[in-house]
Amino acid sequence: MLETPEAVLDALRENDERPYGLPRTVRAEELVEAAGQFEDKGLLVTALLELMEAYEYTGEHRKSPVVFARLLQLWDEDRGAFSDWEGHQVYWRFKWVTTSLLEVPDVPLATIEQWTGRMRERYREAGHGMQPVAAMAHRVALHTGSGLESAYDLWVTRPREPLSDCEACEIRHRALHHVAFGEDEQALRIWAPLFAGAVSCQEEPYVSHAFALLPLLRTDRVDEARSHHLAGYRYARGKTGMAEEIGLHLEFCALTRNEGRGLEILAENRGLFEATGAPKARLAFLTGVQVLLGRLVEQGYADTPVAGPPGRQWTARTLNEEIGAEADELAAAFDRRNGTAAVGERRRERLERRPLLDEPLALGLRVTPLTGPKDGGAAAEPAPAPAAHRVAVPEDFAELVAEARRLADQGHPGDTPLWERVAERVAADGYVHDPALGHRDLLLAELAEQRAFAEDERGGDGRAAMAEAAGLYARAGLPWHELAARARVACRPGAGKGQGEHGEGSADEAADKPAEHLAVRRELEPLLELAERMLPGGDREPDADFRPDKYLVVLHCRAFAAHTEMVDALPDAGPETAARFQEAVAALHAAAERWEIPHQRAAAHLYEADIAARTGRIEEAVERQRRSQEILEETGTPWRATRGMLLLGQILMRTGRPGEAAEVFRQAMARAARYDDRSFPVTAVHAMLGHACRHAGELSGAVRHLSEAAARMEREEDHNGAAECRLELADALAASGQPEDAVAVLESVAREGGAESGGPLDERLLAQIRLTLARGLTDLEEHRAAAEEFLSLADTVAGWEEQFTHTMVAAQAAAALARAGRPQAAGTARERALASHRRAPSPVPVLEMLREFADLATRGEEEDLQAALGHLATADELLAEVPEDPEEFPHWYHAGHNHLCRARCLARAERFEEALAEADRADSRLAEGGPDGEAGRAETARLAALIEGNGLERPKDAVARLDAAVRRCAGTGLEEAARILTALREDMASR
């Protein structure tokens, strides 16, 4: 197969397209052997350079110097065998050899220094500057810790040379110098242009993402650290040449309390345990693994299974011990070689690091939680910081019960931990009830009531516990308490009824609602009548148990039920339903004023505010909510106001005021934390706050809160809710210029979203996530991965009833295959998409697909104008079949872009007059769109001007066209388009 130089050269080209890894390296070794059989030494040079590159990027640093020695020998023997580029590579790869020798502790330091001297001599002989040599000397000093500052000065004070490392890599090494001295802020300032995208290279900024993680955490830039981890690890994943960086990502997981994420990364990179060609990088990787494993052992997960070297089962403890011994020996070998203790000291410093955050940093990813045995004797986690108004728990039991009752009467959330402690004491062996606390059944009833509240707050059904409380109150001889508890049991329609999975059965549930509300009224009415009979007044003496607040509970339950019925009936609530709601709320309001119970007055205002908001009376809704909050704050119970604040935030969101809503949500969250309100719906509020921030343009806040909401939902086993948050999170990340982070988030959901993961997602939600993922991969120009995702998704949706979804996905899959350079598969997929469109029309993605095929057909080496024009003719035919309906389908837009695409293709084929005519047709159709068409017209004007000025050599016509286009852009606020067209106009005018 490789019997001619041409065959070897073709094989080298093919191998160059493979990703770095063992298959590419093995093939490169074979091709060196094949190239050596021919007299053409140039072919051998090319093969050796390819092999050295394969070694460099797969961490085979032991082998790289041997290959370079052969290259250098060929260079000295026959420089004519080297092209200009290959000759440049000889000098460039001197640097690779220095770093490769530094990687291996068996190579004496004197040999490395001799090699640096040899590099200096070769550079001087060839007339090259010494800055790259100084850079290598600094690299050695940074590793050994000897003469570091002087080596840095000799390097950075020299001007850059053509053989200097690229600017992005030099920035990394300058920053790492300052990290070595603990100067995190200075390092991050140096890194800033790299992370801002001003400079980049094949490896950067991804390598620097890993090295900057610790400085970012130590300077409290956790949002940036999260982003660096997401994008940086996604690039490093599975690359044997990035073992050190993967070790740093493992360390990051340990330092941010994301041990579960760390174990996933360890499992994904298990092959690194077998990569031994780069000992220095291996030591860094093993040390990062140990930081993670040490954290697991400290937490009590020493016996948890973990991924380690193949061939046996590993736990956190056994793997930590195994690799610890090897890593210690490696560090010692380097220090013996270097004559310093720097490597061992850096290793010890890493192993001594502890988490830098009090709580896990929400990464936005779907992560499998830690499982497995946990030791009982694990070191305790640090206690959470106390809330500003956290209630002290009295040791004396009588004081404990009294304080719990007092706080419960105030509605203070601090009663929760007190009741929990009371429950523990009552349940303990040997508990003897003190009659001074009241009837024993009273205390048991209070505890049952607290259990009911807790179950309701967790989204469960607390009616059984509340019914138990009612019975206990009855036995204790407390009729008003019993009545209030019975009303709480009765007031909820269909409580405890589960939603059909993925919303199934919703139509039946809607049909049952009126019957459920009727049943609630029939249960509540006798209780209301009883409450009225029991009220003091006239000849009736007050009952010894009479508590106005319990009477108000009954009225509140009726208002709650009427509100629920009203909400279920909207937007078509009848007059009877509305009247019941008004009557119930008015009664609650009047009784609250009569008996001076302000929080019930506030509750009445809130019910009215909610219905006002739902029926479009927004200003009234805001006014009533704020009056509710004022009442609670005036009466010294601000902790009761948080739920109303959440309602206000939702109202503000509905009225398009997301910035104000976000501030209200923040205030509510801060107030709940201040009073240690454990019943506050923190998870839901993080989700609402993230949503509000995204719509307000506060994208960093959106990322932070949506990440936290998703992590909490996952812990609460609300997998669909978590996935929805992550979908919105990905949108926020993409909008904030972090598309790789967005894709990393979506990949984590798509990977774990199937039924086999233990947390299956709704099929349609998962399909939407995968569609967004595929589009994100397209935006990153990872076309092969995008095509695979589109094709897999097309199979998933093929059986759906609404087949237009399959048409859309099939069309996008075909376009992705074309962009990925797989023409045969793309052609087959295109025909499938067109066939699907004939069955279930979805014109927009199919038209976009055909334009994409046309555009690609006239790019690259093998231009095919006829194929392009054929695709566009099909697009025109398809467009003609779409019914004219301006509101549903903008014909002008697609017709204009068909013409624009045809103009572009004709211009590439140098058929300029035809291209200009098509551009004019495009402009005419796009003008039909009014302001919506101006962006397309701006691009059309740019293309037409290039055709006129460059192709047809009529720059004056181009200038006139551009003048008109600039005026239109300025008039419609297209500032960036106006800037581009103005620059082009000035260029044309200067000719």
PDB file of all heavy atoms in Angstrom, residues 915-945:
ATOM      1  N   ALA A 915     -23.946  38.343 -10.964  1.00  0.00           N
ATOM      2  CA  ALA A 915     -23.931  38.444  -9.500  1.00  0.00           C
ATOM      3  C   ALA A 915     -24.532  39.765  -9.045  1.00  0.00           C
ATOM      4  O   ALA A 915     -25.318  39.823  -8.084  1.00  0.00           O
ATOM      5  CB  ALA A 915     -22.500  38.306  -8.982  1.00  0.00           C
ATOM      6  N   LEU A 916     -24.174  40.873  -9.753  1.00  0.00           N
ATOM      7  CA  LEU A 916     -24.699  42.183  -9.366  1.00  0.00           C
ATOM      8  C   LEU A 916     -26.209  42.237  -9.574  1.00  0.00           C
ATOM      9  O   LEU A 916     -26.944  42.798  -8.743  1.00  0.00           O
ATOM     10  CB  LEU A 916     -24.004  43.273 -10.180  1.00  0.00           C
ATOM     11  CG  LEU A 916     -24.371  44.707  -9.800  1.00  0.00           C
ATOM     12  CD1 LEU A 916     -23.998  44.980  -8.342  1.00  0.00           C
ATOM     13  CD2 LEU A 916     -23.664  45.704 -10.719  1.00  0.00           C
ATOM     14  N   ALA A 917     -26.693  41.643 -10.657  1.00  0.00           N
ATOM     15  CA  ALA A 917     -28.141  41.626 -10.893  1.00  0.00           C
ATOM     16  C   ALA A 917     -28.859  40.876  -9.776  1.00  0.00           C
ATOM     17  O   ALA A 917     -29.933  41.295  -9.308  1.00  0.00           O
ATOM     18  CB  ALA A 917     -28.427  40.977 -12.251  1.00  0.00           C
ATOM     19  N   GLU A 918     -28.277  39.768  -9.329  1.00  0.00           N
ATOM     20  CA  GLU A 918     -28.892  39.008  -8.224  1.00  0.00           C
ATOM     21  C   GLU A 918     -28.867  39.810  -6.927  1.00  0.00           C
ATOM     22  O   GLU A 918     -29.814  39.763  -6.140  1.00  0.00           O
ATOM     23  CB  GLU A 918     -28.152  37.682  -8.034  1.00  0.00           C
ATOM     24  CG  GLU A 918     -28.514  36.624  -9.040  1.00  0.00           C
ATOM     25  CD  GLU A 918     -29.979  36.219  -8.949  1.00  0.00           C
ATOM     26  OE1 GLU A 918     -30.504  36.052  -7.825  1.00  0.00           O
ATOM     27  OE2 GLU A 918     -30.622  36.088 -10.017  1.00  0.00           O
ATOM     28  N   ALA A 919     -27.785  40.539  -6.698  1.00  0.00           N
ATOM     29  CA  ALA A 919     -27.715  41.376  -5.499  1.00  0.00           C
ATOM     30  C   ALA A 919     -28.801  42.444  -5.522  1.00  0.00           C
ATOM     31  O   ALA A 919     -29.431  42.743  -4.490  1.00  0.00           O
ATOM     32  CB  ALA A 919     -26.333  42.013  -5.383  1.00  0.00           C
ATOM     33  N   ASP A 920     -29.052  43.041  -6.701  1.00  0.00           N
ATOM     34  CA  ASP A 920     -30.122  44.041  -6.810  1.00  0.00           C
ATOM     35  C   ASP A 920     -31.491  43.410  -6.548  1.00  0.00           C
ATOM     36  O   ASP A 920     -32.363  44.024  -5.915  1.00  0.00           O
ATOM     37  CB  ASP A 920     -30.082  44.687  -8.185  1.00  0.00           C
ATOM     38  CG  ASP A 920     -28.905  45.649  -8.346  1.00  0.00           C
ATOM     39  OD1 ASP A 920     -28.429  46.152  -7.303  1.00  0.00           O
ATOM     40  OD2 ASP A 920     -28.462  45.869  -9.483  1.00  0.00           O
ATOM     41  N   ARG A 921     -31.679  42.194  -7.043  1.00  0.00           N
ATOM     42  CA  ARG A 921     -32.950  41.500  -6.770  1.00  0.00           C
ATOM     43  C   ARG A 921     -33.089  41.228  -5.267  1.00  0.00           C
ATOM     44  O   ARG A 921     -34.183  41.342  -4.700  1.00  0.00           O
ATOM     45  CB  ARG A 921     -33.011  40.193  -7.558  1.00  0.00           C
ATOM     46  CG  ARG A 921     -33.097  40.384  -9.067  1.00  0.00           C
ATOM     47  CD  ARG A 921     -33.293  39.055  -9.796  1.00  0.00           C
ATOM     48  NE  ARG A 921     -33.190  39.246 -11.232  1.00  0.00           N
ATOM     49  CZ  ARG A 921     -32.115  38.953 -11.953  1.00  0.00           C
ATOM     50  NH1 ARG A 921     -31.044  38.423 -11.359  1.00  0.00           N
ATOM     51  NH2 ARG A 921     -32.094  39.172 -13.260  1.00  0.00           N
ATOM     52  N   ALA A 922     -31.980  40.847  -4.639  1.00  0.00           N
ATOM     53  CA  ALA A 922     -32.014  40.599  -3.195  1.00  0.00           C
ATOM     54  C   ALA A 922     -32.407  41.860  -2.449  1.00  0.00           C
ATOM     55  O   ALA A 922     -33.257  41.839  -1.535  1.00  0.00           O
ATOM     56  CB  ALA A 922     -30.640  40.115  -2.716  1.00  0.00           C
ATOM     57  N   ASP A 923     -31.819  42.993  -2.824  1.00  0.00           N
ATOM     58  CA  ASP A 923     -32.126  44.255  -2.155  1.00  0.00           C
ATOM     59  C   ASP A 923     -33.587  44.614  -2.315  1.00  0.00           C
ATOM     60  O   ASP A 923     -34.235  45.073  -1.363  1.00  0.00           O
ATOM     61  CB  ASP A 923     -31.229  45.356  -2.723  1.00  0.00           C
ATOM     62  CG  ASP A 923     -31.432  46.664  -1.995  1.00  0.00           C
ATOM     63  OD1 ASP A 923     -30.979  46.764  -0.833  1.00  0.00           O
ATOM     64  OD2 ASP A 923     -32.060  47.579  -2.575  1.00  0.00           O
ATOM     65  N   SER A 924     -34.129  44.384  -3.501  1.00  0.00           N
ATOM     66  CA  SER A 924     -35.522  44.724  -3.762  1.00  0.00           C
ATOM     67  C   SER A 924     -36.462  43.913  -2.874  1.00  0.00           C
ATOM     68  O   SER A 924     -37.414  44.458  -2.297  1.00  0.00           O
ATOM     69  CB  SER A 924     -35.840  44.478  -5.233  1.00  0.00           C
ATOM     70  OG  SER A 924     -37.206  44.727  -5.498  1.00  0.00           O
ATOM     71  N   ARG A 925     -36.194  42.611  -2.757  1.00  0.00           N
ATOM     72  CA  ARG A 925     -37.074  41.784  -1.923  1.00  0.00           C
ATOM     73  C   ARG A 925     -36.909  42.106  -0.439  1.00  0.00           C
ATOM     74  O   ARG A 925     -37.901  42.169   0.309  1.00  0.00           O
ATOM     75  CB  ARG A 925     -36.791  40.302  -2.165  1.00  0.00           C
ATOM     76  CG  ARG A 925     -37.198  39.776  -3.532  1.00  0.00           C
ATOM     77  CD  ARG A 925     -38.664  40.080  -3.892  1.00  0.00           C
ATOM     78  NE  ARG A 925     -39.633  39.681  -2.915  1.00  0.00           N
ATOM     79  CZ  ARG A 925     -40.268  38.494  -2.890  1.00  0.00           C
ATOM     80  NH1 ARG A 925     -39.985  37.586  -3.821  1.00  0.00           N
ATOM     81  NH2 ARG A 925     -41.177  38.222  -1.979  1.00  0.00           N
ATOM     82  N   LEU A 926     -35.690  42.298   0.004  1.00  0.00           N
ATOM     83  CA  LEU A 926     -35.462  42.593   1.421  1.00  0.00           C
ATOM     84  C   LEU A 926     -36.069  43.933   1.817  1.00  0.00           C
ATOM     85  O   LEU A 926     -36.488  44.114   2.965  1.00  0.00           O
ATOM     86  CB  LEU A 926     -33.964  42.579   1.733  1.00  0.00           C
ATOM     87  CG  LEU A 926     -33.298  41.204   1.647  1.00  0.00           C
ATOM     88  CD1 LEU A 926     -31.782  41.332   1.693  1.00  0.00           C
ATOM     89  CD2 LEU A 926     -33.785  40.302   2.781  1.00  0.00           C
ATOM     90  N   ALA A 927     -36.150  44.861   0.868  1.00  0.00           N
ATOM     91  CA  ALA A 927     -36.765  46.162   1.159  1.00  0.00           C
ATOM     92  C   ALA A 927     -38.231  46.021   1.520  1.00  0.00           C
ATOM     93  O   ALA A 927     -38.794  46.873   2.225  1.00  0.00           O
ATOM     94  CB  ALA A 927     -36.604  47.096  -0.042  1.00  0.00           C
ATOM     95  N   GLU A 928     -38.882  44.933   1.056  1.00  0.00           N
ATOM     96  CA  GLU A 928     -40.288  44.700   1.397  1.00  0.00           C
ATOM     97  C   GLU A 928     -40.478  44.477   2.896  1.00  0.00           C
ATOM     98  O   GLU A 928     -41.581  44.627   3.421  1.00  0.00           O
ATOM     99  CB  GLU A 928     -40.808  43.478   0.631  1.00  0.00           C
ATOM    100  CG  GLU A 928     -40.825  43.643  -0.879  1.00  0.00           C
ATOM    101  CD  GLU A 928     -41.184  42.344  -1.590  1.00  0.00           C
ATOM    102  OE1 GLU A 928     -41.767  41.459  -0.916  1.00  0.00           O
ATOM    103  OE2 GLU A 928     -40.873  42.204  -2.790  1.00  0.00           O
ATOM    104  N   GLY A 929     -39.408  44.107   3.600  1.00  0.00           N
ATOM    105  CA  GLY A 929     -39.514  43.847   5.037  1.00  0.00           C
ATOM    106  C   GLY A 929     -39.458  45.083   5.896  1.00  0.00           C
ATOM    107  O   GLY A 929     -39.551  44.984   7.126  1.00  0.00           O
ATOM    108  N   GLY A 930     -39.285  46.254   5.269  1.00  0.00           N
ATOM    109  CA  GLY A 930     -39.217  47.482   6.049  1.00  0.00           C
ATOM    110  C   GLY A 930     -38.014  47.460   6.981  1.00  0.00           C
ATOM    111  O   GLY A 930     -36.934  46.966   6.626  1.00  0.00           O
ATOM    112  N   PRO A 931     -38.169  47.957   8.221  1.00  0.00           N
ATOM    113  CA  PRO A 931     -37.031  47.973   9.163  1.00  0.00           C
ATOM    114  C   PRO A 931     -36.446  46.585   9.415  1.00  0.00           C
ATOM    115  O   PRO A 931     -35.240  46.446   9.641  1.00  0.00           O
ATOM    116  CB  PRO A 931     -37.653  48.566  10.438  1.00  0.00           C
ATOM    117  CG  PRO A 931     -38.835  49.341   9.965  1.00  0.00           C
ATOM    118  CD  PRO A 931     -39.371  48.612   8.777  1.00  0.00           C
ATOM    119  N   ASP A 932     -37.292  45.554   9.386  1.00  0.00           N
ATOM    120  CA  ASP A 932     -36.780  44.199   9.636  1.00  0.00           C
ATOM    121  C   ASP A 932     -35.840  43.723   8.537  1.00  0.00           C
ATOM    122  O   ASP A 932     -35.053  42.798   8.756  1.00  0.00           O
ATOM    123  CB  ASP A 932     -37.946  43.208   9.753  1.00  0.00           C
ATOM    124  CG  ASP A 932     -38.775  43.449  10.998  1.00  0.00           C
ATOM    125  OD1 ASP A 932     -38.246  44.068  11.947  1.00  0.00           O
ATOM    126  OD2 ASP A 932     -39.950  43.036  11.018  1.00  0.00           O
ATOM    127  N   GLY A 933     -35.910  44.308   7.377  1.00  0.00           N
ATOM    128  CA  GLY A 933     -35.065  43.880   6.279  1.00  0.00           C
ATOM    129  C   GLY A 933     -33.773  44.656   6.140  1.00  0.00           C
ATOM    130  O   GLY A 933     -32.950  44.334   5.278  1.00  0.00           O
ATOM    131  N   GLU A 934     -33.567  45.669   6.985  1.00  0.00           N
ATOM    132  CA  GLU A 934     -32.410  46.548   6.794  1.00  0.00           C
ATOM    133  C   GLU A 934     -31.075  45.857   7.053  1.00  0.00           C
ATOM    134  O   GLU A 934     -30.081  46.155   6.397  1.00  0.00           O
ATOM    135  CB  GLU A 934     -32.534  47.788   7.675  1.00  0.00           C
ATOM    136  CG  GLU A 934     -33.553  48.800   7.180  1.00  0.00           C
ATOM    137  CD  GLU A 934     -33.261  49.269   5.752  1.00  0.00           C
ATOM    138  OE1 GLU A 934     -32.074  49.373   5.377  1.00  0.00           O
ATOM    139  OE2 GLU A 934     -34.222  49.526   5.004  1.00  0.00           O
ATOM    140  N   ALA A 935     -31.000  44.936   7.996  1.00  0.00           N
ATOM    141  CA  ALA A 935     -29.738  44.237   8.248  1.00  0.00           C
ATOM    142  C   ALA A 935     -29.329  43.429   7.018  1.00  0.00           C
ATOM    143  O   ALA A 935     -28.157  43.436   6.603  1.00  0.00           O
ATOM    144  CB  ALA A 935     -29.871  43.326   9.465  1.00  0.00           C
ATOM    145  N   GLY A 936     -30.309  42.748   6.403  1.00  0.00           N
ATOM    146  CA  GLY A 936     -30.020  42.009   5.177  1.00  0.00           C
ATOM    147  C   GLY A 936     -29.632  42.928   4.031  1.00  0.00           C
ATOM    148  O   GLY A 936     -28.744  42.604   3.222  1.00  0.00           O
ATOM    149  N   ARG A 937     -30.272  44.078   3.946  1.00  0.00           N
ATOM    150  CA  ARG A 937     -29.939  45.028   2.878  1.00  0.00           C
ATOM    151  C   ARG A 937     -28.518  45.567   3.056  1.00  0.00           C
ATOM    152  O   ARG A 937     -27.816  45.820   2.068  1.00  0.00           O
ATOM    153  CB  ARG A 937     -30.939  46.179   2.868  1.00  0.00           C
ATOM    154  CG  ARG A 937     -32.351  45.792   2.470  1.00  0.00           C
ATOM    155  CD  ARG A 937     -33.226  47.021   2.307  1.00  0.00           C
ATOM    156  NE  ARG A 937     -32.900  47.745   1.066  1.00  0.00           N
ATOM    157  CZ  ARG A 937     -33.313  48.975   0.804  1.00  0.00           C
ATOM    158  NH1 ARG A 937     -34.059  49.637   1.698  1.00  0.00           N
ATOM    159  NH2 ARG A 937     -33.002  49.568  -0.324  1.00  0.00           N
ATOM    160  N   ALA A 938     -28.091  45.740   4.305  1.00  0.00           N
ATOM    161  CA  ALA A 938     -26.725  46.219   4.557  1.00  0.00           C
ATOM    162  C   ALA A 938     -25.704  45.208   4.037  1.00  0.00           C
ATOM    163  O   ALA A 938     -24.720  45.583   3.383  1.00  0.00           O
ATOM    164  CB  ALA A 938     -26.521  46.467   6.040  1.00  0.00           C
ATOM    165  N   GLU A 939     -25.927  43.933   4.296  1.00  0.00           N
ATOM    166  CA  GLU A 939     -25.015  42.903   3.799  1.00  0.00           C
ATOM    167  C   GLU A 939     -25.072  42.836   2.278  1.00  0.00           C
ATOM    168  O   GLU A 939     -24.035  42.654   1.611  1.00  0.00           O
ATOM    169  CB  GLU A 939     -25.370  41.556   4.416  1.00  0.00           C
ATOM    170  CG  GLU A 939     -24.631  40.352   3.830  1.00  0.00           C
ATOM    171  CD  GLU A 939     -23.116  40.476   3.897  1.00  0.00           C
ATOM    172  OE1 GLU A 939     -22.598  41.280   4.706  1.00  0.00           O
ATOM    173  OE2 GLU A 939     -22.439  39.764   3.124  1.00  0.00           O
ATOM    174  N   THR A 940     -26.255  43.000   1.708  1.00  0.00           N
ATOM    175  CA  THR A 940     -26.389  42.995   0.256  1.00  0.00           C
ATOM    176  C   THR A 940     -25.618  44.161  -0.365  1.00  0.00           C
ATOM    177  O   THR A 940     -24.933  44.003  -1.387  1.00  0.00           O
ATOM    178  CB  THR A 940     -27.877  43.087  -0.141  1.00  0.00           C
ATOM    179  OG1 THR A 940     -28.580  41.982   0.435  1.00  0.00           O
ATOM    180  CG2 THR A 940     -28.054  43.058  -1.649  1.00  0.00           C
ATOM    181  N   ALA A 941     -25.708  45.339   0.262  1.00  0.00           N
ATOM    182  CA  ALA A 941     -24.980  46.513  -0.238  1.00  0.00           C
ATOM    183  C   ALA A 941     -23.473  46.285  -0.177  1.00  0.00           C
ATOM    184  O   ALA A 941     -22.726  46.674  -1.088  1.00  0.00           O
ATOM    185  CB  ALA A 941     -25.360  47.752   0.562  1.00  0.00           C
ATOM    186  N   ARG A 942     -23.007  45.668   0.891  1.00  0.00           N
ATOM    187  CA  ARG A 942     -21.572  45.384   1.020  1.00  0.00           C
ATOM    188  C   ARG A 942     -21.102  44.475  -0.115  1.00  0.00           C
ATOM    189  O   ARG A 942     -20.083  44.744  -0.773  1.00  0.00           O
ATOM    190  CB  ARG A 942     -21.292  44.725   2.372  1.00  0.00           C
ATOM    191  CG  ARG A 942     -19.807  44.554   2.691  1.00  0.00           C
ATOM    192  CD  ARG A 942     -19.605  43.697   3.931  1.00  0.00           C
ATOM    193  NE  ARG A 942     -19.958  42.307   3.663  1.00  0.00           N
ATOM    194  CZ  ARG A 942     -19.132  41.426   3.079  1.00  0.00           C
ATOM    195  NH1 ARG A 942     -17.916  41.793   2.717  1.00  0.00           N
ATOM    196  NH2 ARG A 942     -19.528  40.193   2.856  1.00  0.00           N
ATOM    197  N   LEU A 943     -21.859  43.372  -0.359  1.00  0.00           N
ATOM    198  CA  LEU A 943     -21.471  42.431  -1.412  1.00  0.00           C
ATOM    199  C   LEU A 943     -21.531  43.104  -2.792  1.00  0.00           C
ATOM    200  O   LEU A 943     -20.610  42.965  -3.610  1.00  0.00           O
ATOM    201  CB  LEU A 943     -22.388  41.211  -1.382  1.00  0.00           C
ATOM    202  CG  LEU A 943     -22.169  40.175  -2.487  1.00  0.00           C
ATOM    203  CD1 LEU A 943     -20.767  39.572  -2.391  1.00  0.00           C
ATOM    204  CD2 LEU A 943     -23.235  39.089  -2.424  1.00  0.00           C
ATOM    205  N   ALA A 944     -22.605  43.841  -3.029  1.00  0.00           N
ATOM    206  CA  ALA A 944     -22.757  44.500  -4.336  1.00  0.00           C
ATOM    207  C   ALA A 944     -21.631  45.505  -4.575  1.00  0.00           C
ATOM    208  O   ALA A 944     -21.108  45.624  -5.701  1.00  0.00           O
ATOM    209  CB  ALA A 944     -24.112  45.184  -4.422  1.00  0.00           C
ATOM    210  N   ALA A 945     -21.240  46.230  -3.534  1.00  0.00           N
ATOM    211  CA  ALA A 945     -20.153  47.208  -3.678  1.00  0.00           C
ATOM    212  C   ALA A 945     -18.838  46.511  -3.999  1.00  0.00           C
ATOM    213  O   ALA A 945     -18.047  47.002  -4.824  1.00  0.00           O
ATOM    214  CB  ALA A 945     -20.024  48.028  -2.400  1.00  0.00           C
TER     215      ALA A 945
END
